[in-house]
Amino acid sequence: MGTPKVTPITENRHTGGYVIWDPSDGMLTREAIILIAGSGLCTAGLVLGGETAGGAAVSSALETNTGNGTIGAITVGPAAQIGEYAVVFDDATHFTVNDPAGAEVGSGTTGAAFDEDGIGFTITAGATAFAAGDGFTVTTTGTVKFGPWDPTASDGLAVARAILWSGSRDATTSDADAVANVRGPMRVNASELIWGANVTTDAQKAIALAQLEKLTILNT
């Protein structure tokens, strides 16, 4: 009797298979996204960065401001997030900037250019000095397209912003619709995550996981 031949069965990645916990049915943490052309065959668990195209921004001073300084023209790069950035003064000349998720992205000083997280501007002091708690809201708009997180990139793909929830999407030659986890609270199995071709070290992965943690996407 000969040795029977059995064809190996290859199991595909399961949609959302990396998720350990998310609230309710998970709809609070997921959004429809666009995978950018050139991303290749993307499977569930792929850590994603995002590029903002056609970005623009407007600012508005808080109605409670003591100071009457102004914020100048705002530049919006591919690393910018879409939503409301909060600029909050710590004293008359120093301020911090929080991204739309509430995470601090940098600090600045009146009269000096601020350029962090894809947005840039200069705040000019007015005749009446700013006080602690004064600030501005900077609202950014644009189209975000996602691709494999890439620590070597010089644009938004170097910032981990999401994890692909959809089981399999082909974005080799054209954009592809998909669904991704873009915020927490949730917990994922880090060993089940998928990494792009330019992620080659555990240290790089640690950077991405720390970036995801700012979105309250926690790993175990």
Side-chain angles (χ1 to χ4, degrees), residues 92-111:
T93 57
H94 300 90
F95 59 85
T96 58
V97 179
N98 296 326
D99 67 17
E104 183 176 327
V105 297
S107 58
T109 306
T110 54

Side-chain angles (χ1 to χ4, degrees), residues 47 56 99 108 139 156 191 204:
V47 178
D99 67 17
T139 303
S191 66
Q204 291 172 329

Side-chain angles (χ1 to χ4, degrees), residues 47-135:
V47 178
L48 302 170
E51 293 183 348
T52 296
V58 295
S59 66
S60 59
L62 301 182
E63 294 181 358
T64 55
N65 277 1
T66 298
N68 61 357
T70 57
I71 187 169
I74 303 168
T75 59
V76 180
Q81 301 180 53
I82 302 303
E84 293 185 351
Y85 285 81
V87 180
V88 182
F89 273 84
D90 305 307
D91 54 36
T93 57
H94 300 90
F95 59 85
T96 58
V97 179
N98 296 326
D99 67 17
E104 183 176 327
V105 297
S107 58
T109 306
T110 54
F114 174 88
D115 187 4
E116 295 287 347
D117 203 50
I119 64 169
F121 55 80
T122 299
I123 296 178
T124 302
T128 303
F130 289 110
D134 284 0

Side-chain angles (χ1 to χ4, degrees), residues 8 18 52 60 65 77 100 106 131 144 164 202:
Y18 54 89
T52 296
S60 59
N65 277 1
V144 178
L164 183 63
D202 289 339

Side-chain angles (χ1 to χ4, degrees), residues 129-158:
F130 289 110
D134 284 0
F136 297 86
T137 297
V138 176
T139 303
T140 55
T141 57
T143 300
V144 178
K145 295 184 179 182
F146 292 80
W149 179 73
D150 183 356
T152 69
S154 59
D155 53 26
L157 294 181

